Each structure stands twice: as structure tokens, then as C-alpha cells.
Amino acid sequence: MSGALTIIRRGWSTTLQDRGRPGLAHFGVPTSGPVDRPLADLVNRVVGNPAGTTVFETAGGLVVRAEWPLVVAASPTGAPVSLQPGDELAIEPGERNVEYLAVRGGILAEQVLGSSSHDTLSGIGPDPVDDGARYEIGDDPRTPVHVDVAPLAEGPDRIRLWPGPRLDRFVDDAFDTMLAGRWRVTEFWSRVGVRLLGEAPARRRPVDGSNELPSEGLVLGAVQMPPSGEPVVMLPDHPTTGGYPVIAVVHVDDLGSFARRRPGGTVRFVAA
Amino acid sequence: MTIHRPIRPMGPVAALVECAPGEPGPLVLAARRVGIGAGSAGVVEMVPAACTVLVECVDAESLDRTVDLVRSIEIGRSGSDDVEVVEIPVCFDGADLDEVAARCARSADEVIGTVVAGPLTVAFCGFAPGFAYLDGLPSWLHLPRRDTPRARVPEGSFAVAAGYAAVYPSASPGGWNLLGSTSAEIWSIDRDPPAVLAPGTQVRIIAVDRT
């Protein structure tokens, strides 16, 4: 340990996240991990941490106080900041759905099934961050901090989509419909998934006289299409299986950019 | 005869391997026996479900290689190989036992006798971490979920619904029909692996007076 900080205000939806716990889906354990992985990687890089070091993920409102001298980076600015004992740092709600705070040396947190990520679906992992909690900080990684400010590559205008495995469950042009339309990001936005609203919902086609599909495995970015025609895009805490046909899969490199789209805004897709 | 199960790609590094009902769990176990599974070279996840196995890899090359192997694995006939059998002691004190028996037009003893008679097989896990769907009940014991789910089903409850049996790994809301309870710890986050009931595992229910 080489430092500590205290949570003054926990803010909204604040959790610890590292790389998550892949490899346990066959036991029904979601992968978890940061919703916006490029952004989490960026704040770690700015303070000289290896990618995947435990960071705070927050929808904003998080206030921390340094108990020791610390070097931190918060994603709204993306610049390293030195804090002296007693200094406070606040992350206000920004233009993105989630922001990150990295601390040089990493936040030392309980490991559950090999990860310090809090999984909001199953509750596995360290508890959500709360007021008054104190976190110890890991040893200095002995890497240089030489970045003044790290800009985040601007996301693509259109999010790339692969065709899903169950296109035969829809009328012929269902994938084209996903690509053609403008989709509204709804308020049903969580670490589990995001529901979208479109102008022309995909129409389902019964297979062997049935619209029922037995549950099957899901990947991060899978787009499930329920009968309502409002697709749900799977984010890191998604259930390991689901019973709605997967119409498309978001390109993994565009997931961070997709996760930054705010409810009320729109998103357009293009074939990967 | 070489088997070639159909494949449905789910993006560039994942695919569903279609299987006959009842095959996915044993298929994942058979793959693990030859060294292929979540965490083996290039493989991120291998997730059985009702009629599919999802294979997710680190890249397209690993996916091609893994799927080629998984789609053609022959599943050993039950009993032909030294399958480990997990025994679960169950006290048949469930709140729905009599109702289940009545709906099936059998006695409670017949229901219990049937559950303990045959080995069950873990078809797949889902719903909650460590929640294993156990295959192998006769069709007369295939009941739907209850009309109104319970707000809280205690940890260790042994229940049937949707054609499967299951043990609740932790307390949760649930709509299954409760036949009994077990003190066996089938799920623990402090253990590696955390679940006793991995896909493909054979299970024998042992009737006990109390847990």
C-alpha cells in the first residue's frame, strides 16, 4: 500500500471496475467490467497504470478526498492531477453516461472470483461505493507519468453492426432496417443493457410455427429483439443467456462510443 | 458417422453451435475432457443453453479451430465413461410437494421416488450464478412455473419447473415449484470453481429426513 482515499460523496451508480471475470459464463456469472473500456483504459494510461487496473466508474457526483499524496486522473479532463492530503476532487455529471477516476498505483479492492468489478446483475464483487468508505492505494507502478493531457479518439458517426445469428426469426429486411433507421437511446439504460426505440420495428417470423426461442448464450454487444420491436444492446453486466433472438452484434471497437450516447439522443448503424 | 452440428455466427469471434435438446451440457463436458473450454487456448467462453453451445474466442482463427472441434465431438453414452456423480441430499419438505403430486395425479411418494430414481444431468446454468437446470425428469413431471412467483425462495430449495429440476444456489425471487431443500453448498464464491453443478455433471438426489 502506498496511499489511501476516502469517499466524501458516492455520487450516482459508482462502482469499482477492472477487467471483469470472463470465463465463468457457463456457471451463469456475467463478465462485468467497465461499460466504456477505452475511457477506463485512458485514465489508467494517464497515471501510468497497466490497462485493467481497478478504477472508479461513476455516472457523476463522486467526490473523493486524498489521505496521502496521490496522482489521479478523471475522465472528464483526462489529465494527471497531484492531490495533497486533504485535497478533494469531484467528478460532475458530464456529457457521457459514465466517467472514470484512476489512481496511480491502483485502488486496492476485494477480489471476488478473480475480479474487483461490481456486477450489478448478480451482486457479485465488492459492494457498490458508499459515502465514508476508505480505499487503500497500491504501490507506485514505477512507470513514468509523462502525459499532460490525453484526448480520447472521437467515436465513429455510425456504430458498426454485424448480422446476428437469428435473422431467420425476422422478415427478410430486418438487418437492413437496423442499418437504415435512426434509433433513439431510451431511459432504460444500465450496466446490463440499453433499450433503443426505432421508427420501423423489425417484424418477427415464426419458425416451425412458433415465435418461441429457447434461451441461448449472449455476447457483449449482442442486440436482442423482443416482440415489442425495441432492441436491447447487451452491456458488461448482461445475463449470460437470453431468450429473445439476436438480430445483430455491435462491433467490439465501437462499444465504448455506443455507451457514450445519452438517453434522448440518437444512434445510427452501419454494416461492419 | 461424422457429426457436423450447424453453426450460427454471432459476430466475428463468437458462434452458436446448434445441438439436439439435452446435448449442450454433456457436449461442453466432453469438450473439457479433451482440453477445450473457457480459459483454454484462445477460448473466452463456452456457454451451453437449451439447444445451443455459444463459443466465444479471442480471434476468428481460434473460433474456426474451436468450432470445428466442438461441432463434431461425439458425446459418450451415459454410463459408458467414468462420469463423476454428484450426490445431493434433499429433505422433501417443500411447500408445493402435495400440490405438484396432485397436478401430476400421483402420490407425493411417487414424485419423490421418481426424483431419486434416475440420475439427472446438468443441462446448463443460468438465471443466477450457479443455478443449474437439471435434465432427466419424466415428462409427467414437466410442470410450468407457478402463476405467481414467490418474492423470496430460500437458498438450497429443490424445485421443478419448465421441464427441469434445480437447486436455488442463493435466496432469490422465484417461480419454481418447491419440492424440498438441501444443505449442500452448491455455490460458493470462495471456491474454484465456484459451482459444484458444472454443465454435463451427473446428479443423484438422495432423500434424507432432515438437512
Side-chain angles (χ1 to χ4, degrees), chain A residues 22-29 31 112-113 122 124 162-166 168 214-219 240-241 246 249, chain B residues 8-12 14 16 18 38 44-50 52 54 56 125 129-130 187 189 193-195 198-199:
Chain A
L24 297 171
H26 57 293
F27 291 131
V29 179
T31 307
V112 182
L113 297 176
S122 71
I124 290 176
W162 304 96
R166 292 291 174 189
D168 56 334
S215 289
E216 52 195 24
L218 293 169
V219 295
T240 54
T241 61
V246 171
V249 180
Chain B
R8 290 173 180 266
M10 195 184 289
L16 295 169
E18 292 195 286
V44 181
E45 303 280 7
M46 199 174 289
V47 189
T52 54
L54 171 71
E56 184 184 355
C125 298
W187 168 256
I189 54 170

Side-chain angles (χ1 to χ4, degrees), chain B residues 90-139:
Chain B
V90 169
C91 175
F92 285 89
D93 57 359
D96 303 330
L97 177 62
D98 291 335
E99 190 187 321
V100 165
R103 282 165 72 184
C104 297
R106 310 275 170 137
S107 68
D109 281 345
E110 279 178 284
V111 171
I112 296 169
T114 301
V115 168
V116 301
L120 303 172
T121 306
V122 179
F124 54 91
C125 298
F127 173 63
F131 190 100
Y133 289 76
L134 304 175
D135 224 348
L137 296 176
S139 56

Side-chain angles (χ1 to χ4, degrees), chain A residues 36-51:
Chain A
D36 189 341
R37 193 152 150 174
L39 197 58
D41 285 354
L42 180 135
V43 288
N44 268 326
R45 196 167 75 237
V46 166
V47 296
N49 289 340

Side-chain angles (χ1 to χ4, degrees), chain B residues 176-208:
Chain B
W176 288 42
N177 307 285
L178 308 184
L179 299 187
S181 56
T182 180
S183 57
E185 194 181 44
I186 62 159
W187 168 256
S188 168
I189 54 170
D190 300 322
R191 218 167 32 201
D192 183 20
V196 171
L197 303 180
T201 304
Q202 300 240 333
V203 177
R204 189 173 289 282
I205 304 298
I206 312 289
V208 295

